[in-house]
Amino acid sequence: MDSFVSLANGFAVALTPANLMWGLIGVTLGTFVGVLPGLGPALTIAMLLPITFQVEPTAAFILFAGIYFGAMFGGSTTSILINTPGESATIVTALEGHKMARKGRGGPALATAAIGSFVAGTLGVVGITLLAPIIVKFALTFSPADYFALMLLAFVTVSAVLGSSMVRGLTALALGLFIGLIGVDLQTGQARFAFGQMSLLDGVDVVIVCVGLFAVGETLHLASRYRAGNDEIIAIKGSLWMNRQDWARSWKPWLRGACIGFPIGAMPAGGAEIPTFLSYFFEKKLSKHPEEFGHGAIEGVAGPEAANNASAAGVFVPLLTLGLPTSATAAIMLSAFQSYGINPGPQLLVSQPDLVWGLIASLYIGNVLLLVLNLPLVGLWVQVLKIPTPYLYAGILLFATIGTYGISQSVFDLALLYIIGIIGFFMRRYDFPTSPVIIGMILGPFAEQQFRRAMTISQGDMSVFVTRPISATLIAIAILALVIPLIVQFKRSRRAAEPAAEGQHSA
Amino acid sequence: MTPSRNLELTAVALCVIALGVGVVFMTTQIAVPPTYAKVGPTIFPYTVGAALIGLGCLLFRDVFSGTWSCEATDEDADRPDLQPMAWVIAGLAINLVLISYVGFILASTAMFVFVAKAFGSRRVWLAAIVGFLLALLAYYGFARVLDLRMGSGLIEDLF
Amino acid sequence: MNRRTFLASAGIATVMATVPSLARAQTMKRLEIFVPAAPGGGWDQTARVMDAVMRNAKLIGNSRITNVGGAGGTIGLPQFINQHKGDGNALMTGGMVMIGAIISNKSPVDLSAVTPIARLTGEYLTIVVPAASPLKSMADLVEALKKDVGSVSWAGGSAGGSDHILAGLVAKAAGVDPIKISYVAFAGGGEAMAALLGNQVTCGVSGWGEFSEQVAAGNLRVLGLSAPERVAGIDAPTIKEQGLDVELLNWRAVFGGPDLSEEQKANLINLVTKMDAEEKWQSELKTRSWTRLFLAGDEFGKYLEEDTQRIAGILKDLGLA
């Protein structure tokens, strides 16, 4: 296998003590920026680009790969421990992860996230090595109509997070869809719902809504129940590590998450959020303990975390085979190539094999370093929960402020953050789930744009959605996913309605 | 369910309907360039507005059928504790007002103290020191490692 | 915490070592570069490279870069105007995209309020088709447009941006109504490119740098370049030489604050001119494949005025203004 020889060469280049040192710095720096909401790997790497003048390419890429994976791990750490997703792709992790942490199971939650990320990242790198050309060919056949069908499927999966009441869950989703509409419309350049505010023309940042609803809203809610004092966090209960049952419940979600995340990440408009939603949905449906979902089910951390990391690896498929940057971080990596005078593109793999394989090897090393560094630190991270309550919540709000104000320096954004936090408080008080808001905000604009692109290209002919095989298949799956649970429910209720026959067992 | 709590839920349902009506009304104000009339920038907003109105009505139904159970309807739950909430909100407000005048570090230190106070911190000076150091560290990290400045201010300008 | 703090500080130390040390001031003691965009983008990179080159050459002493991003520069612009009135030590980066954003966002202030200092770099746009496309030249494209405007789908950046403007200019020159074109806006370059490579759209518009590698690999074919004449190093015919009177340059420039004295203005022009002559600047342009299109002072001012009028006109034709 040619790829393996090249990969071995890549490792030979990457595995020097100096390069490992760069990897360590990258992972540490990455974890640090991942912990701060709003400050992502793309921005960090962009600001560190000048380093490409000082060090050789492999060292720089190892540093960047370390930052990339470190940031994602940092993002899940804050999701789990303080319910503040550092990145939009780690929102789903917060759903179950934070519930686990509150129950004293923060250690296993962090561990399953770290190991799941490692497993999925590794599978992703193997996928890049073996499958890249096939996957990229498939990904390019996706037209806007097909993407819209994929969005429909993603919308169906939202039901997994709607919470106890369908009506309130959908209301939260609609609120998210509305927030997603704010700003200049990409297709026509018309401002929508901007209320004459220049600051709203670019839309509302997902991170602001996310941090507002989760961190600020949660803090306000806890303040309102301060005297009741029944919401106490238990720092550690039972083992700090994953027990046998945790392992048994985690390994399948890791693998499934990787299988969902990698191909979607490889698609030019796939992104990292959608695979995490899909993974959560599947884990909830497949779990033997569906009742635990919403109360700290480990599958709900393992699957989405794996999906997130695998999609990050998937992003490198179009990057390395076609020179197509499909995420902000990939785009910045491309400009790092440019700083070395290398023009990224379809010829990259042929013209610069050392660099490309060195980069792939760096991704692998970044993954390993992260695991080696962070597993022993899980115990340390969990100590965060032992910080005295006043400082913990004051610190969370300080971090939320940094994440918003630090980059935009906009008081308007800060005000928006706090207002959304107050809305988040009311949503908790009246039992509206908050995550559908974020999901609506991410999926809504995406679905709308793809739908309108499809309509522009087909000149208004709706039949494109059913005549294209990919989109027809995806829509069929979406319909089945909607209908099958209804049929199952209907059968169950029919069975329940025949008490004469089976009534004796059911008690 | 007590009438006052029922009133709260009714208000929430009304807010959702009002938002929906607002969305529909504002959508009528969006200019539609002639070519794009087929699937223009208004179709999705109208859908979302209609959905909000419909969901608001369904929420109304839930209020009166008594199926809406939440903290606000829970007879055993205490009323919201207004004093700590007021401290937190005051902290946020002070941060908002001060940040453009004295800078991120001092404004956020003030917020830190207020929030710590809300959660029962008795030693204000200690909270002030912890908050100040955290904010300073964050500012310094941004400015030095990434060459990003979090605005200017009394302390920020010293660097 | 010890190990973590240690590693973090090691990281900070390494990075700090790469920042050139401050030197004694020469041409200008203090300079503030204002970027009306978020860190990481083109205008920000321009500011940071300028800053590094000028510090390296000891043209400036103290410097500071401020980012106020959003809405194509129209959020930063009013702030720059307010904060740097009569301030001879401040520059703002910006570009052609800002003109369109000011018009379509109905910004209360425009570029006539600030002082044009110099155009630094720029990029010509290209129109490409997938390799399998039956269209071979601009003439074929024009014919297709005349036959059925709606059936020709254009992939490019956001509506009202430079790519859309070029599509509109081509349609107008071809004699069809620009408002009728099927323009499909994509958020990032990668997505638009994927649509082209996957044969989902008829043609695509973007900067030459974006397409060059795919063209070299034979995946895309260039129909035309938006330059006034052929450009060295770009193996592509211009749109103009194919009989359509269309040219468009996506330029980047620096501006000074409002109400500068003649002396302040001359100082800033002098500073930027010196920077442009630096070898380090030239080599930076090369590695980043930015095309040098230096034009300073009043000449740039005149160019800016003409370009603004032209862009306002085409945006109106596209139904966006």
Side-chain angles (χ1 to χ4, degrees):
Chain A
M1 281 244 133
D2 222 20
S3 323
F4 282 111
V5 178
S6 318
L7 184 62
N9 280 338
F11 273 112
V13 179
L15 272 175
T16 63
N19 283 342
L20 283 178
M21 185 65 208
W22 284 111
L24 280 181
I25 295 173
V27 169
T28 316
L29 205 68
T31 309
F32 175 71
V33 300
V35 163
L36 291 174
L39 186 60
L43 183 61
T44 310
I45 296 175
M47 305 312 289
L48 289 179
L49 271 185
I51 209 169
T52 51
F53 301 124
Q54 320 282 335
V55 304
E56 44 140 357
T58 335
F61 285 122
I62 288 183
L63 176 74
F64 295 162
I67 292 173
Y68 193 28
F69 286 110
M72 274 187 296
F73 185 76
S76 20
T77 305
T78 47
S79 282
I80 290 169
L81 293 178
I82 56 176
N83 203 15
T84 306
E87 317 280 323
S88 52
T90 57
I91 292 162
V92 178
T93 310
L95 293 181
E96 301 301 323
H98 186 60
K99 292 276 162 43
M100 285 181 74
R102 295 191 84 90
K103 288 183 177 165
R105 309 231 320 122
L110 286 173
T112 199
I115 302 171
S117 302
F118 170 75
V119 170
T122 308
L123 285 177
V125 178
V126 173
I128 297 174
T129 319
L130 295 178
L131 301 174
I134 307 166
I135 289 205
V136 82
K137 211 174 232 171
F138 176 70
L140 280 182
T141 59
F142 262 68
S143 73
D146 303 327
Y147 276 115
F148 179 70
L150 179 68
M151 288 306 106
L152 282 186
L153 182 58
F155 267 116
V156 170
T157 64
V158 166
S159 62
V161 293
L162 283 185
S164 56
S165 149
M166 189 79 157
V167 176
R168 271 167 278 153
L170 289 175
T171 308
L173 184 71
L175 179 66
L177 291 173
F178 164 66
I179 299 175
L181 288 171
I182 295 173
V184 168
D185 170 39
L186 185 68
Q187 298 300 323
T188 60
Q190 298 300 320
R192 299 193 291 189
F193 308 107
F195 307 98
Q197 282 287 338
M198 285 282 177
S199 304
L200 283 176
L201 288 179
D202 280 343
V204 180
D205 191 344
V206 175
V207 173
I208 291 180
V209 178
C210 204
V211 174
L213 285 180
F214 283 66
V216 182
E218 175 90 354
T219 307
L220 277 168
H221 184 246
L222 287 171
S224 81
R225 320 214 50 70
Y226 174 58
R227 296 232 176 94
N230 47 9
D231 267 333
E232 222 164 289
I233 299 176
I234 307 158
I236 301 168
K237 190 177 122 195
S239 170
L240 180 61
W241 292 98
M242 291 168 67
N243 57 33
R244 183 182 284 270
Q245 204 203 353
D246 290 335
W247 282 96
R249 288 175 60 178
S250 287
W251 70 272
K252 279 188 205 154
W254 291 338
L255 296 182
R256 281 193 288 260
C259 293
I260 295 169
F262 182 69
I264 296 184
M267 292 193 318
E273 293 91 0
I274 292 156
T276 61
F277 302 152
L278 287 172
S279 166
Y280 186 82
F281 171 77
F282 282 122
E283 294 314 327
K284 191 175 175 181
K285 293 282 159 195
L286 294 171
S287 169
K288 291 194 186 99
H289 315 271
E291 74 286 349
E292 277 184 35
F293 273 76
H295 305 282
I298 195 166
E299 294 94 333
V301 180
E305 272 302 299
N308 177 10
N309 246 44
S311 80
V315 165
F316 285 92
V317 171
L319 180 69
L320 296 177
T321 49
L322 292 174
L324 271 190
T326 55
S327 77
T329 313
I332 301 293
M333 291 256 193
L334 266 193
S335 48
F337 275 110
Q338 274 162 342
S339 321
Y340 288 112
I342 301 157
N343 262 330
Q347 309 302 60
L348 192 64
L349 198 60
V350 186
S351 60
Q352 301 283 343
D354 283 358
L355 248 188
V356 172
W357 290 108
L359 175 64
I360 293 177
S362 326
L363 294 177
Y364 200 89
I365 293 169
N367 248 317
V368 175
L369 280 178
L370 198 67
L371 190 72
V372 169
L373 258 188
N374 279 305
L375 270 189
L377 290 183
V378 163
L380 206 87
W381 281 117
V382 174
Q383 304 298 320
V384 167
L385 296 175
K386 287 191 177 164
I387 295 174
T389 324
Y391 297 145
L392 181 60
Y393 290 109
I396 289 175
L397 287 192
L398 184 76
F399 270 43
T401 304
I402 296 170
T404 310
Y405 188 74
I407 290 150
S408 66
Q409 281 144 47
S410 152
V411 179
F412 183 89
D413 283 359
L414 205 55
L416 202 60
L417 172 79
Y418 296 160
I419 290 167
I420 291 169
I422 292 170
I423 294 175
F425 162 75
F426 283 113
M427 290 184 71
R428 274 176 180 74
R429 179 161 171 78
Y430 302 115
D431 193 33
F432 287 91
T434 42
S435 33
V437 179
I438 316 278
I439 293 177
M441 217 186 136
I442 293 170
L443 291 185
F446 210 105
E448 183 192 5
Q449 295 303 327
Q450 297 293 10
F451 178 75
R452 288 168 58 196
R453 277 176 200 147
M455 286 294 97
T456 307
I457 293 172
S458 76
Q459 297 184 66
D461 179 6
M462 288 284 241
S463 70
V464 282
F465 296 111
V466 284
T467 51
R468 291 187 55 91
I470 300 176
S471 110
T473 314
L474 286 170
I475 288 176
I477 296 174
I479 291 172
L480 285 180
L482 259 186
V483 171
I484 287 176
L486 288 180
I487 294 175
V488 171
Q489 213 177 14
F490 179 68
K491 278 195 174 157
R492 257 190 219 146
S493 61
R494 272 244 310 242
R495 215 175 291 159
E498 291 165 22
E502 295 178 59
Q504 307 306 328
H505 308 259
S506 56
Chain B
M1 198 186 298
T2 61
S4 77
R5 291 184 174 184
N6 218 338
L7 211 64
E8 254 182 276
L9 296 186
T10 312
V12 173
L14 276 177
C15 281
V16 173
I17 293 176
L19 178 64
V21 172
V23 168
V24 170
F25 173 74
M26 284 184 287
T27 307
T28 59
Q29 311 290 305
I30 298 172
V32 182
T35 26
Y36 305 102
K38 214 173 277 160
V39 191
T42 54
I43 294 200
F44 273 69
Y46 276 130
T47 315
V48 172
L52 280 167
I53 295 173
L55 287 163
C57 295
L58 288 174
L59 284 174
F60 248 119
R61 191 200 61 186
D62 284 0
V63 174
F64 293 110
S65 66
T67 49
W68 188 343
S69 62
C70 60
E71 196 183 293
T73 60
D74 186 354
E75 299 288 346
D76 299 329
D78 298 306
R79 299 220 129 236
D81 211 345
L82 292 179
Q83 203 188 343
M85 272 191 83
W87 278 108
V88 175
I89 291 177
L92 300 180
I94 280 188
N95 196 9
L96 270 184
V97 172
L98 288 184
I99 207 159
S100 29
Y101 298 104
V102 301
F104 158 76
I105 297 178
L106 289 179
S108 288
T109 305
M111 176 186 73
F112 193 93
V113 172
F114 273 71
V115 178
K117 183 102 182 98
F119 285 95
S121 168
R122 269 173 233 105
R123 283 171 293 182
V124 170
W125 57 273
L126 188 63
I129 292 172
V130 173
F132 180 77
L133 287 179
L134 262 179
L136 191 69
L137 194 75
Y139 181 84
Y140 192 79
F142 264 68
R144 273 286 166 262
V145 181
L146 298 178
D147 201 15
L148 272 182
R149 299 201 170 262
M150 285 198 267
S152 50
L154 298 180
I155 297 178
E156 284 82 351
D157 290 344
L158 300 177
F159 290 102
Chain C
M1 278 295 173
N2 267 335
R3 186 145 62 136
R4 220 164 49 85
T5 346
F6 164 73
L7 286 170
S9 49
I12 290 166
T14 329
V15 175
M16 270 172 72
T18 66
V19 178
S21 56
L22 292 183
R24 252 199 304 148
Q26 279 196 349
T27 306
M28 201 168 272
K29 265 206 170 118
R30 179 180 66 79
L31 180 71
E32 172 154 0
I33 308 181
F34 185 95
V35 182
W43 298 343
D44 181 62
Q45 300 268 316
T46 304
R48 283 172 202 275
V49 173
M50 280 176 70
D51 183 61
V53 169
M54 289 192 287
R55 280 212 254 181
N56 197 37
K58 304 196 167 75
L59 292 173
I60 53 170
N62 265 323
S63 68
R64 164 177 284 198
I65 297 173
T66 313
N67 297 79
V68 179
T74 51
I75 293 176
L77 181 64
Q79 279 195 31
F80 181 72
I81 291 173
N82 284 334
Q83 288 167 8
H84 297 283
K85 200 163 278 179
D87 179 358
N89 294 69
L91 284 174
M92 176 184 76
T93 56
M96 184 266 234
V97 177
M98 241 167 138
I99 298 179
I102 287 167
I103 296 168
S104 48
N105 294 346
K106 301 179 182 65
S107 165
V109 286
D110 62 24
L111 288 173
S112 64
V114 292
T115 314
I117 300 297
R119 182 181 75 190
L120 299 174
T121 61
E123 189 175 37
Y124 293 109
L125 304 183
T126 34
I127 299 175
V128 298
V129 291
S133 164
L135 306 179
K136 306 280 183 211
S137 66
M138 287 305 291
D140 293 347
L141 180 65
V142 168
E143 203 180 308
L145 278 173
K146 280 189 168 152
K147 213 158 140 205
D148 182 3
V149 190
S151 69
V152 177
S153 51
W154 303 71
S158 59
S162 51
D163 304 343
H164 195 184
I165 289 172
L166 182 64
L169 287 171
V170 167
K172 199 176 176 194
V176 296
D177 187 355
I179 215 162
K180 295 217 170 85
I181 61 174
S182 294
Y183 186 79
V184 190
F186 288 88
E191 263 188 79
M193 177 81 84
L196 273 166
L197 294 177
N199 236 329
Q200 318 286 358
V201 287
T202 317
C203 60
V205 188
S206 189
W208 165 250
E210 200 95 359
F211 291 140
S212 60
E213 284 298 305
Q214 302 291 350
V215 171
N219 295 332
L220 297 177
R221 182 167 55 241
V222 192
L223 294 188
L225 183 72
S226 71
E229 53 205 38
R230 285 202 181 213
V231 178
I234 302 180
D235 182 25
T238 63
I239 300 172
K240 218 167 190 174
E241 75 185 48
Q242 298 176 71
L244 289 169
D245 188 17
V246 171
E247 49 179 288
L248 192 66
L249 174 65
N250 190 358
W251 46 265
R252 286 180 197 161
V254 284
F255 301 87
D259 307 333
L260 295 190
S261 70
E262 279 306 313
E263 195 197 338
Q264 284 173 320
K265 189 178 159 189
N267 275 341
L268 283 172
I269 292 174
N270 180 26
L271 175 71
V272 177
T273 312
K274 274 186 183 166
M275 179 210 68
D276 178 66
E278 283 292 324
E279 207 173 300
K280 182 106 196 297
W281 173 254
Q282 307 281 357
S283 68
E284 281 292 315
L285 293 187
K286 204 167 267 168
T287 48
R288 287 162 195 273
S289 29
W290 293 348
T291 310
R292 178 181 169 274
L293 284 162
F294 191 78
L295 186 70
D298 292 336
E299 279 174 74
F300 171 51
K302 208 170 137 239
Y303 174 84
L304 178 67
E305 238 167 74
E306 288 168 7
D307 222 31
T308 307
Q309 281 192 356
R310 207 160 61 99
I311 289 166
I314 192 66
L315 283 175
K316 200 164 262 164
D317 291 340
L318 285 167
L320 292 173

